[in-house]
Amino acid sequence: QAQASAPCRIAMAASDASTVLPEVVEFGQKHGLSTSAQMELQGLMNASITLTQKKVTVVVPATVANLGPGLETCGLAVDIWDEFTVEYSEHFHLEAFGDYSADVPRATDQNLAVLGAKFAFEASGRPFPSLRISCTHNIPYKQGLGGPSASFVGGYLAGSVLCSEELSSLVVQGEKSEIGRTGSLADVLGQSPIHRIPSSAAVAAAFPAPPAGHGPSERGGGLDTLLQQAISRGWNPGNVCPAIYGALQIGTGSSTGFESHRVPMPNGLVCVLWVPGNLNEGERLPKQAVDRKAAIFNVGRMALLTNCFCTGNFEMFSKATEDTLAQPHCASQFPFVTSICQAAVDAGASGAFACGYGPSVMALITGRTGDILAQSSFEDLERAVAKAMLSKADEVGQPGRILIAKPADVGAHVLAQKSELASSADGGRIVYFQ
């Protein structure tokens, strides 16, 4: 079981305060300002930023990729959140908290929240300032639930808010917000149900593209830069897309980049996640020729999987999660995954599969309602599935922990309200996220 660790604080030299923003240089050239006048104007802008937007907190959901046959195209956001607070500071500090912070890199050149924030400033053509970055890790890190990509997305979004001063624009536009939350990044850009990348005019309005010659990408700012950079780091699109947009996403690649498509989800779904104590996520499936019969099998299962979510009929879900590509590769690395999945189905789950390439396992339960009597029976089913997975894991010598949560309908967003955790009486091995 992951152990909570003491906060990690790292100091870093302050950035060069004399660096003048490209916008200030352009303004100065247009109006004939001297270099010293440009630097004075820069100082006034820095003071204005300090007095207005100094701190932001964002949250990013856990994600489960593949869902059986959806090889690096399909992914689901889960209502378990990492939290990132970023603020201006005289010196650079990095703090890491949470049950899974022990596995998070402490070096600032390796910590993905730091790198995400740094990339956001660079993509906006702004120097990377001294920041205090505080991370709370509730997502198991490097265990198949998208922890690393969540850190990068969280750091990038927080950095974008600070350097672009766009906090107020993150409220849902043209759509009624849910009580107690601001809009997600996807909501702001009005890109549901189909999220097309590269960026549109809405992206440019929310996060201006860097001037020519600035930043690591010339394709544009905002979501295009974030998504393409995350994919270029080798992360599974099945993690990246739902981390940004939430819900169930299908990512498709082309010569112009990636697109993400939202799949409708019915109410009443619950994810029961088994997480091992001390195993890192598995290696991705290597590039190889695919047998035609295996390809046809997976295409059919993926179509059936999508149909289950679109129709709300999960009678065929266990069959829909069958796979001939990723799952055998995962089983070769973690042989116990197959037996834990079967234990969940035998206990009443609609289906079960490895999270990405393992080692964690997700079982899906359907039918939760608001009826009090039915709810009690449904919770009994949740706990029966959870205990069956724990028991089988113990039997094969892989003790772990169960996290129970609903799918998350939104992706990364500015925090408005925290979710509360409710631990069970099972020695902390079954945890509800509500």
Side-chain angles (χ1 to χ4, degrees):
Q1 182 174 331
Q3 299 293 326
S5 66
C8 168
R9 295 179 172 84
I10 301 174
M12 181 183 291
S15 61
D16 184 4
S18 65
T19 304
V20 180
L21 295 176
E23 293 91 334
V24 175
V25 174
E26 183 180 353
F27 181 86
Q29 292 173 346
K30 180 178 179 180
H31 297 281
L33 299 181
S34 65
T35 302
S36 60
Q38 292 179 28
M39 293 182 66
E40 185 175 351
L41 177 59
Q42 175 70 71
L44 291 173
M45 290 180 62
N46 289 342
S48 175
I49 292 173
T50 300
L51 290 173
T52 53
Q53 182 57 48
K54 298 194 302 180
K55 179 179 180 179
V56 63
T57 298
V58 302
V59 288
V60 187
T63 53
V64 175
N66 298 350
L67 275 65
L71 180 63
E72 300 195 11
T73 59
C74 183
L76 177 69
V78 180
D79 194 24
I80 301 171
W81 302 82
D82 275 0
E83 180 180 312
F84 305 92
T85 298
V86 181
E87 59 185 314
Y88 290 106
S89 175
E90 291 185 3
H91 302 285
F92 204 103
H93 294 275
L94 172 64
E95 302 175 322
F97 305 91
D99 286 347
Y100 299 97
S101 61
D103 301 319
V104 178
R106 264 39 179 192
T108 53
D109 61 344
Q110 297 178 11
N111 183 278
L112 293 171
V114 174
L115 294 178
K118 184 174 186 293
F119 185 83
F121 276 86
E122 291 176 352
S124 296
R126 291 166 169 77
F128 189 47
S130 295
L131 300 173
R132 177 183 293 272
I133 300 179
S134 178
C135 313
T136 301
H137 294 276
N138 296 311
I139 303 173
Y141 199 80
K142 286 191 174 181
Q143 291 189 298
L145 294 173
S149 53
S151 291
F152 186 85
V153 169
Y156 185 97
L157 175 55
S160 295
V161 171
L162 286 184
C163 69
S164 300
E165 298 184 80
E166 291 289 345
L167 182 61
S168 61
S169 76
L170 291 176
V171 178
V172 177
Q173 299 176 3
E175 181 181 5
K176 205 167 186 178
S177 300
E178 293 180 16
I179 296 175
R181 78 164 179 90
T182 55
S184 71
L185 195 56
D187 291 330
V188 178
L189 304 179
Q191 293 183 319
S192 176
I194 299 178
H195 317 295
R196 289 192 171 87
I197 313 298
S199 56
S200 63
V203 174
F207 298 111
H214 291 82
S217 172
E218 295 298 328
R219 296 186 53 166
L223 289 186
D224 178 40
T225 306
L226 170 56
L227 183 61
Q228 303 307 327
Q229 175 67 4
I231 297 301
S232 71
R233 297 186 70 91
W235 290 321
N236 191 331
N239 292 123
V240 176
C241 294
I244 296 173
Y245 297 109
L248 178 63
Q249 298 288 332
I250 297 177
T252 58
S254 69
S255 59
T256 59
F258 270 82
E259 296 178 355
S260 190
H261 306 258
R262 176 183 288 251
V263 177
M265 283 197 310
N267 295 323
L269 302 181
V270 173
C271 307
V272 180
L273 300 155
W274 173 83
V275 182
N278 56 359
L279 294 174
N280 285 333
E281 60 189 345
E283 297 292 329
R284 295 173 73 172
L285 184 68
K287 293 183 179 180
Q288 61 187 42
V290 176
D291 177 72
R292 183 173 184 270
K293 184 177 180 180
I296 293 173
F297 182 95
N298 265 50
V299 169
R301 292 303 190 273
M302 185 62 204
L304 185 57
L305 179 81
T306 305
N307 187 62
C308 289
F309 282 95
C310 290
T311 63
N313 184 348
F314 286 83
E315 291 182 2
M316 299 293 291
F317 187 70
S318 183
K319 189 177 187 65
T321 58
E322 294 175 346
D323 166 60
T324 59
L325 299 175
Q327 295 295 328
H329 176 68
C330 176
S332 69
Q333 301 177 80
F334 309 109
F336 53 82
V337 164
T338 302
S339 59
I340 294 176
C341 289
Q342 188 60 52
V345 173
D346 291 344
S350 296
F353 39 82
C355 299
Y357 292 106
S360 299
V361 173
M362 175 180 145
L364 186 70
I365 302 177
T366 64
R368 177 184 273 190
T369 68
D371 180 82
I372 296 177
L373 295 178
Q375 185 69 17
S376 177
S377 175
F378 191 85
E379 289 177 352
D380 288 342
L381 175 59
E382 293 174 5
R383 298 186 67 80
V385 171
K387 290 180 177 179
M389 296 171 77
L390 286 173
S391 177
K392 178 57 69 172
D394 289 343
E395 181 183 317
V396 297
Q398 292 292 338
R401 191 183 193 193
I402 291 289
L403 308 179
I404 299 177
K406 298 179 294 184
D409 193 53
V410 297
H413 61 276
V414 176
L415 182 68
Q417 181 177 7
K418 291 184 180 180
S419 296
E420 297 295 328
L421 306 186
S423 295
S424 71
D426 298 77
R429 296 186 70 193
I430 301 178
V431 180
Y432 278 86
F433 286 75
Q434 304 182 46

